[in-house]
Amino acid sequence: MLAAVKSAEVEEINYIHKNLGVNDIGENRVQQLLSRYDALDKEGLNIHFIGHLQTNKVKYIIDKVSLIHSLDSERLAKEIDSQAKKHGLVMRVLVEINSGREENKDGIMPEEALELCRALEKYENIELCGFMTMAPKCTDKNEYLTYFGEMRELALDIWHNRLGKIEKPILSMGMSGSFEEAVRCGSTMVRVGSRLFVK
């Protein structure tokens, strides 16, 4: 489980990390991450970046996060690779797929995902670890099963059949209102925020 901490205070983040065993948190905004980075209890803490990432902001977080969930273009990949190289590290990434084909959401279209994954192979300082999606908001929870199920099939086809990878990919699917359905469809990482931090 990944704690999505957009609405949380630093004290709350440190509490769930030290007392509840939550070792993975997800930040949505670069500025928010930077503003509280020094105050976080980072021993044993893995910080993920799960929001939309602009190329000009990569340099600010490249040495602070362990996994970027929102890679959706080769232009962004090139910048991540360049900044990672400067710090002597290999950045782990997930390709974000727009499973609902929504115009107002980020992520690459499903039919373009394979091409991007293959393009990443030339970047020495990027490690593709799997895929992320944000399903459309559904009134009937069973609708989530369709989106997450299709995402799983696409991801596994790309991973095993097209890229020839043997190990299992990370599938970052499901949020506070849909994590149960996501797990049923094979999600390996759920991003839970409002269910943890009730305001």
Side-chain angles (χ1 to χ4, degrees):
M1 184 188 74
L2 179 74
V5 297
K6 179 171 65 173
S7 63
E9 302 295 333
V10 173
E11 294 77 16
E12 293 175 306
I13 299 170
N14 287 338
Y15 179 85
I16 64 170
H17 175 44
K18 289 189 289 187
N19 299 288
L20 303 181
V22 177
N23 297 323
D24 293 88
I25 65 168
E27 289 277 11
N28 286 74
R29 302 180 183 125
V30 170
Q31 193 58 44
Q32 189 174 39
L33 167 58
L34 297 179
S35 68
R36 59 191 182 188
Y37 182 78
D38 289 341
L40 290 173
D41 179 2
K42 291 181 283 294
E43 184 176 357
L45 183 69
N46 301 308
I47 302 173
H48 302 234
F49 192 80
I50 60 177
H52 177 65
L53 182 58
Q54 297 174 306
T55 54
N56 64 341
K57 299 289 180 68
V58 173
K59 61 186 176 184
Y60 299 115
I61 68 164
I62 196 69
D63 60 340
K64 296 177 175 61
V65 301
S66 60
L67 181 65
I68 294 173
H69 289 229
S70 47
L71 176 60
D72 61 0
S73 71
E74 189 173 356
R75 180 169 172 264
L76 179 57
K78 185 176 181 180
E79 182 64 16
I80 292 172
D81 180 74
S82 174
Q83 294 297 333
K85 193 171 294 183
K86 290 179 182 178
H87 289 270
L89 56 87
V90 175
M91 178 52 61
R92 300 165 69 239
V93 302
L94 305 180
V95 164
E96 181 179 2
I97 298 177
N98 186 338
S99 57
R101 302 175 182 275
E102 297 175 278
E103 292 184 3
N104 62 334
K105 280 191 179 173
D106 300 306
I108 197 163
M109 289 298 148
E111 63 272 15
E112 299 171 340
L114 175 59
E115 182 180 357
L116 177 57
C117 289
R118 283 182 167 156
L120 298 181
E121 294 177 349
K122 65 175 174 279
Y123 296 107
E124 296 179 355
N125 293 77
I126 287 180
E127 179 187 358
L128 175 61
C129 296
F131 306 87
M132 185 269 265
T133 196
M134 287 181 63
K137 190 168 184 177
C138 301
T139 52
D140 180 354
K141 286 209 166 192
N142 286 324
E143 292 179 33
Y144 285 119
L145 298 175
T146 299
Y147 290 108
F148 292 142
E150 291 176 352
M151 168 72 175
R152 178 182 182 276
E153 293 305 311
L154 173 66
L156 293 182
D157 179 58
I158 291 175
W159 194 257
H160 295 304
N161 299 332
R162 311 298 177 182
L163 300 181
K165 294 181 180 288
I166 298 172
E167 72 278 10
K168 291 183 178 180
I170 293 172
L171 296 180
S172 177
M173 308 190 300
M175 299 166 66
S176 289
S178 61
F179 68 87
E180 292 172 296
E181 290 74 24
V183 171
R184 285 173 61 186
C185 291
S187 175
T188 64
M189 187 179 295
V190 294
R191 308 179 303 276
V192 180
S194 60
R195 293 282 286 270
L196 284 175
F197 308 105
V198 181
K199 298 297 183 185

